Amino acid sequence: MSTDLEKDARPGAGDGAADGPTPLLELRDLHVYYGAIGALKGVSLTVPEGQVVALLGANGAGKSTTLKAASGMLQPRSGEVLLRGERVDGIKSHELVRFGIGHVPEGRRVFARMTVLENLKMGAYRLRRPDPADLERVFTLFPRLADRRKQVAGTLSGGEQQMLAIGRALMGKPELLLLDEPSMGLAPLIVQQIFEILKEINEQGTTLLLVEQNASQALQLADYGYVLETGAVVMSDRAPALLSDPRVRAAYLGEAVE
Ligand SMILES: Nc1ncnc2c1ncn2[C@@H]1O[C@H](COP(=O)(O)OP(=O)(O)OP(=O)(O)O)[C@@H](O)[C@H]1O
Ligand SMILES: [Mg+2]
């Protein structure tokens, strides 16, 4: 049983810039409000380059809000978002795409009336023109999308729409991909496929910050994990330690408390 939860085992080489390489993404003490209601109450987390970081938590914990603050969709009331050590909070989401942040939001939003190919080209709109190599990469990762490139996106299955949403984000050449519950509502076999593809995307060099209800699969893929509760980080550790932690198992893996 893991007993090392209390020690500081942040991802990367340490707790500060002096201790190791600058992380790709760092959130420092983020406070986000919706009107008068605080959704994030001082969230700090670190995503080292090349890694997969999982963000877990119950409904309403603030997971989507954290991703939205990271990608500029929401402005924090206070706190900092740093990309390679540079402040990027205050920069709007459509600009942040050019800084290398891709965000696949909840609910796999695709342009329903456009074809698969048109959707993918939209993902590259910030680049001067879509890179054919990126299109090939997406079609290699998702052969189902290649077969359906002329199909209207609204008629794709749920799993195919999720693949398209991820593929579209990849067309923007992100260094960091923020994924909000990519497995939600999908059949187990498709969930398995999505996780395998996420692994491949990471192995090809893209850093991932992954929000998931599917804690077991997410922690198996991740290097490091954070658990959010009512807008605050309540636990963080290397993924294998979280996976074997009885509190995590009870709360997120449906196991009885001993
Ligand atoms: N647009 C909004 N207006 C007001 N309150 C909001 C808004 N969006 C989110 N909230 C509130 O902020 C809190 C955090 O929401 P958030 O969507 O980040 O949670 P989550 O962890 O992603 O939950 P879920 O697992 O259900 O997706 C919740 O209490 C939610 O009701
Ligand atoms: Mg959410």
Side-chain angles (χ1 to χ4, degrees):
M1 190 162 296
S2 169
T3 53
D4 58 354
L5 275 173
E6 306 313 321
K7 80 173 187 224
D8 187 13
R10 282 165 166 248
D15 191 8
D19 295 322
T22 307
L24 183 53
L25 176 74
E26 191 178 353
L27 307 181
R28 283 191 192 155
D29 198 23
L30 284 186
H31 290 255
V32 173
Y33 281 76
Y34 295 108
I37 299 186
L40 298 188
K41 301 161 189 166
V43 168
S44 297
L45 63 79
T46 302
V47 183
E49 183 159 21
Q51 293 201 1
V52 178
V53 173
L55 185 56
L56 311 175
N59 293 124
K63 305 180 299 296
S64 297
T65 303
T66 302
L67 293 194
K68 286 173 184 169
S71 74
M73 281 170 73
L74 281 177
Q75 295 308 314
R77 180 173 292 186
S78 63
E80 299 178 359
V81 180
L82 298 114
L83 196 62
R84 295 193 185 286
E86 302 280 334
R87 290 279 297 267
V88 296
D89 42 282
I91 299 176
K92 295 277 163 29
S93 53
H94 62 276
E95 292 293 329
L96 271 183
V97 175
R98 281 196 295 152
F99 287 70
I101 295 189
H103 186 172
V104 183
E106 264 174 319
R108 40 180 181 270
R109 296 193 205 114
V110 296
F111 300 108
R113 292 185 186 184
M114 291 186 184
T115 65
V116 166
L117 190 58
E118 287 164 347
N119 266 275
L120 291 174
K121 286 181 174 170
M122 289 293 287
Y125 77 110
R126 279 282 140 195
L127 309 172
R128 282 196 188 85
R129 67 182 90 87
D131 184 339
D134 289 333
L135 201 56
E136 269 323 297
R137 177 190 180 201
V138 170
F139 284 150
T140 305
L141 285 166
F142 301 105
R144 277 158 174 264
L145 295 183
D147 296 343
R148 292 167 173 78
R149 69 182 78 196
K150 290 182 180 158
Q151 190 171 326
V152 168
T155 61
L156 295 172
S157 73
E160 290 161 359
Q161 288 188 16
Q162 184 59 268
M163 292 172 187
L164 181 55
I166 297 169
R168 194 177 61 195
L170 289 176
M171 291 297 293
K173 289 189 186 294
E175 289 177 79
L176 170 67
L177 195 55
L178 312 175
L179 294 142
D180 200 341
E181 305 207 31
S183 78
M184 186 153 66
L186 303 179
L189 205 63
I190 305 291
V191 172
Q192 198 55 47
Q193 281 177 16
I194 298 266
F195 272 97
E196 276 163 22
I197 291 163
L198 293 181
K199 183 165 189 273
E200 206 171 327
I201 290 170
N202 175 247
E203 285 169 357
Q204 290 175 359
T206 308
T207 304
L208 306 180
L209 176 56
L210 172 65
V211 164
E212 262 298 334
Q213 296 276 346
N214 200 329
S216 168
Q217 300 241 43
L219 288 174
Q220 284 174 56
L221 175 67
D223 297 287
Y224 202 87
Y226 289 84
V227 179
L228 274 187
E229 248 175 58
T230 56
V233 173
V234 293
M235 239 190 269
S236 64
D237 207 334
R238 292 176 210 287
L242 283 183
L243 199 52
S244 61
D245 185 81
R247 290 168 293 174
V248 172
R249 299 195 74 84
Y252 302 104
L253 300 170
E255 286 190 5
V257 190
E258 285 165 32

